Amino acid sequence: MSRRSDLLRYLGARLALAPLMLWLISSLVFLLLRVAPGDPIDALLGPKAPAAARAALRQQLGLDQPLLVQYGRFLGDLLHGNLGVSQASKEPVTTIIQGSLPASLELGLVALLIAAVLGLAVGFSGIARPEGKVDLAGRLFGIGTYALPPFWAAMVVQLVFAVWLGWLPVGGRLPATVLPPQGSGFYLFDSLRAGNLQQLQGAIRHLVLPASTLGLLLSGIFTNALRLNLRRALSSDYVEAARSRGLSETRVVLRHALPNALLPVLTITGITVASLIGGALLIEVTYSWPGIAARLQEAIAQRDYPLVQGIVVVVAALVVLVTVAVDLLVALLDPRVRF
């Protein structure tokens, strides 16, 4: 009963801090956009537009008002769930995010699955002979994949598998001759639900290269985390006690060391969600993937204040929610965690 109340208290504290974190992030983005070089009026009308047209548009967008007035209006709209209207396309920011976010989530989830499976497999492979050749190869794999520049890795993968071998498409999310499936925006799920094999095949073929590239780049995080935590667990007292009882090494590793080594990896999984956003930006741009990261890059280039602010707030909210969920899951799985 005490532990349940501790968990509820911890959940309440984390959820109470979430609005504060979102406010700090949104305020920082608001300020940085205003102090950064460049003028959204130049992006919309061009630097040679008449002064009267520039002044009229600035007044229409509310950019002629004092900064504190703009900030107050921004916070007021945010509290009411209004993310504003894109200055470039005149579409509601919520509509743009709803159209782009499923593509990024689909790419990120598949990439995270690939990263976890590949990284954990490589990290576990060298445990039989620490400091051996397999362990050394796994260590180099973990360092190398994490250090690879995403844009360079994406272009190399495109060159090899799309251009030279011609096995998979260079970019995009579906073939030009295939209509997008209707529904949630998750093409794999929507095409499966509709039973359209052509859409499903096209979605899978276009997803393989960007998801594999991003998954490969993130797999080193899981490799290094599992390797370090598993070696620490194998040298702990409870593992030595299990060995002294005559248990086989396989059972000691799988039943005693591995479950405890995976708990920190689970925490790292939550942190990796934030890494997906940064890595996905270069991956989406390189593969012409119509996701939220690519829209963010376009919005920054166009100085589209409402769209940049809306995307950052939504992504930050997702990262906060995932982090809180992972922390609670670790607390439920590990009775040693105290709050």
Side-chain angles (χ1 to χ4, degrees), residues 83-249:
L83 298 179
V85 178
S86 170
Q87 295 173 352
S89 65
K90 306 304 179 184
E91 294 181 84
V93 172
T94 305
T95 302
I96 297 176
I97 293 176
Q98 288 175 347
S100 304
L101 187 58
S104 291
L105 291 177
E106 186 173 65
L107 172 62
L109 290 174
V110 175
L112 187 60
L113 178 62
I114 294 173
V117 172
L118 180 60
L120 294 179
V122 175
F124 187 77
S125 62
I127 199 60
R129 291 186 178 180
E131 305 302 333
K133 293 182 179 180
V134 176
D135 187 43
L136 177 60
R139 193 187 314 174
L140 293 176
F141 173 86
I143 297 174
T145 53
Y146 189 73
L148 281 175
F151 66 92
W152 181 84
M155 289 189 293
V156 169
V157 170
Q158 279 181 324
L159 182 64
V160 174
F161 294 99
V163 178
W164 290 351
L165 299 177
W167 290 352
L168 294 164
V170 174
R173 202 176 174 197
L174 272 179
T177 57
V178 178
L179 293 175
Q182 301 299 315
S184 63
F186 293 87
Y187 283 5
L188 296 180
F189 173 77
D190 293 335
S191 57
L192 274 174
R193 185 180 59 179
N196 192 321
L197 296 180
Q198 186 182 22
Q199 290 176 341
L200 179 61
Q201 182 184 16
I204 292 176
R205 283 177 52 82
H206 282 74
L207 181 62
V208 168
L209 286 187
S212 299
T213 305
L214 186 55
L216 177 66
L217 295 173
L218 294 175
S219 61
I221 300 175
F222 294 92
T223 297
N224 293 332
L226 180 63
R227 179 180 174 276
L228 293 175
N229 286 286
L230 194 54
R231 292 189 64 181
R232 187 180 297 117
L234 287 173
S235 61
S236 60
D237 293 337
Y238 64 88
V239 169
E240 293 297 331
R243 285 171 174 158
S244 66
R245 295 199 301 269
L247 299 179
S248 64
E249 188 66 18

Side-chain angles (χ1 to χ4, degrees), residues 25-36:
I25 293 172
S26 57
S27 300
L28 183 61
V29 172
F30 177 90
L31 180 62
L32 290 177
L33 284 173
R34 268 74 181 176
V35 301

Side-chain angles (χ1 to χ4, degrees), residues 233 238-239 242 245 247 251-261:
Y238 64 88
V239 169
R245 295 199 301 269
L247 299 179
R251 187 174 181 182
V252 168
V253 172
L254 297 180
R255 294 289 300 274
H256 296 273
L258 186 59
N260 289 282

